[in-house]
Amino acid sequence: MSASRAARAVGAVQIVVTPGSGEGRALATARRLATRLKRRGRVVDVRSFENLAALARWAERSPPGASHVVCIGGDATLSAAATAAIRGETPFVPVPNGFGNVFAQVFGYSRRVAAVVRLLDEGQLRRVDIGVVRRDAGEEVFLSHRSYGLLEQIQQVAERGRKQPRPRLLRYLWYFGVGHRFLVRTRLAPYQVVVDGTPVADDAVLVTVANVETYRGFLPLTPTASPIDGLFDVFVIPRVSKPGLLRRLLLLMFGLPGRWRGVAIYRGRRVTVTTPRRREELVVRRRALPLLVPPGAF
């Protein structure tokens, strides 16, 4: 049976992966999972995509008929692949193989092949919310969060050209180094934020619009965000000096007293963020994603 026919066969498991995810381990994980499932009599199709843009194009045109869409990668990879599950009303199975794995942490997903096989056998189907970014060029799905300001800039520069080191400790140091350079050399730009039609900030220096708890265990910005309540949690730091911004982030990072002073969290279904270069509208699509979760999750 050809790969294209296998993907449409009843009971087929569609595995998608970007090889650069998980410090280069994602493709090996996909192959081990495919081998294990085939031994159990499953029909499997593995598709590897060179980059997120190629994965997103496939997800927008993928044929229905697979039993599950299993995505191996980090938050950006999961978000790009989720469109295929939404379009086909197909159970979505995240396998965390990225750096942050924000979405996967919320549900307790494992990267171990044996755990993924068990999830396919015993998992419970839940419908969860997604976020959608609307802009002139079209729409983009996100499962965990969308950030603006310092955190977004650090991530874009640190991951440009995939130059960041693969070992986790060295990658943390790499991100801290990029963040230090931004704080020293870059002017903090103002962001305007509107939540459900109400302006909440016109000079924010950091904004995170979250569908789930963001940066759990590292920098908890939205500890009460939930993917099943139909609302975003919107974390905002208003205009502050660079030392003041750094102080607020460190207080949050280490869970110190006073960490919630000088910051704000809003909740809403529709958020507009106007940046110096663009305007984006973010909306919640409630219960849009059919998600296979471990027993007892949510």
Side-chain angles (χ1 to χ4, degrees):
M1 181 181 292
S2 69
S4 60
R5 289 180 62 193
R8 294 191 293 270
V10 175
V13 177
Q14 177 69 70
I15 301 175
V16 296
V17 60
T18 50
S21 297
E23 302 168 5
R25 296 189 300 263
L27 186 56
T29 300
R31 289 169 174 163
R32 291 198 304 272
L33 177 59
T35 298
R36 183 77 66 90
L37 291 175
K38 288 176 181 177
R39 288 175 180 168
R40 295 167 61 91
R42 296 266 194 159
V43 178
V44 181
D45 179 42
V46 178
R47 290 179 181 265
S48 175
F49 298 90
E50 182 178 353
N51 51 50
L52 291 177
L55 172 57
R57 287 193 296 270
W58 170 84
E60 292 171 355
R61 302 191 297 265
S62 60
S67 67
H68 301 82
V69 174
V70 179
C71 179
I72 303 173
D75 288 304
T77 302
L78 298 180
S79 294
T83 298
I86 295 167
R87 290 178 57 252
E89 282 292 313
T90 307
F92 188 61
V93 182
V95 181
N97 259 245
F99 179 60
N101 301 315
V102 174
F103 184 78
Q105 284 187 26
V106 172
F107 295 91
Y109 287 106
S110 171
R111 69 180 62 192
R112 294 185 301 108
V113 167
V116 179
V117 173
R118 187 165 58 251
L119 177 62
L120 289 171
D121 290 338
E122 304 174 2
Q124 301 170 344
L125 189 64
R126 296 295 303 271
R127 299 196 69 91
V128 301
D129 306 336
I130 64 167
V132 176
V133 181
R134 292 176 176 170
R135 58 172 77 91
D136 293 340
E139 295 186 345
E140 179 182 340
V141 168
F142 67 96
L143 299 182
S144 58
H145 67 284
R146 186 84 173 180
S147 289
Y148 302 85
L150 180 67
L151 296 181
E152 178 193 28
Q153 294 166 337
I154 291 172
Q155 182 175 354
Q156 288 180 347
V157 172
E159 298 180 0
R160 185 177 298 161
R162 293 191 178 275
K163 296 179 181 179
Q164 69 272 28
R166 288 185 174 183
R168 182 166 291 269
L169 177 59
L170 294 179
R171 187 173 290 199
Y172 274 124
L173 295 175
W174 174 270
Y175 277 85
F176 278 120
V178 172
H180 178 265
R181 292 198 298 273
F182 263 105
L183 282 173
V184 171
R185 303 175 185 175
T186 305
R187 177 179 175 272
L188 297 177
Y191 294 81
Q192 298 175 343
V193 184
V194 178
V195 179
D196 287 342
T198 301
V200 299
D202 58 10
D203 59 352
V205 294
L206 191 150
V207 182
T208 293
V209 181
N211 186 44
V212 300
E213 182 182 352
T214 309
Y215 306 126
R216 174 189 292 183
F218 175 64
L219 184 62
L221 302 182
T222 56
T224 63
S226 169
I228 59 174
D229 64 358
L231 298 170
F232 288 132
D233 278 29
V234 185
F235 175 88
V236 175
I237 297 182
R239 169 60 59 183
V240 69
S241 66
K242 290 180 181 179
L245 174 59
L246 179 59
R247 178 177 178 275
R248 284 164 173 76
L249 292 177
L250 289 175
L251 288 174
L252 287 162
M253 183 178 297
F254 294 107
L256 298 176
R259 61 189 178 277
W260 298 111
R261 288 198 294 267
V263 306
I265 295 180
Y266 305 92
R267 309 192 76 213
R269 294 180 174 84
R270 186 181 303 269
V271 181
T272 301
V273 180
T274 303
T275 75
R277 296 184 179 180
R278 66 188 188 275
R279 178 181 182 274
E280 293 187 346
E281 183 181 45
L282 303 91
V283 297
V284 174
R285 287 189 181 164
R286 190 163 194 189
R287 297 170 54 84
L289 177 66
L291 185 68
L292 195 68
V293 302
F298 282 86

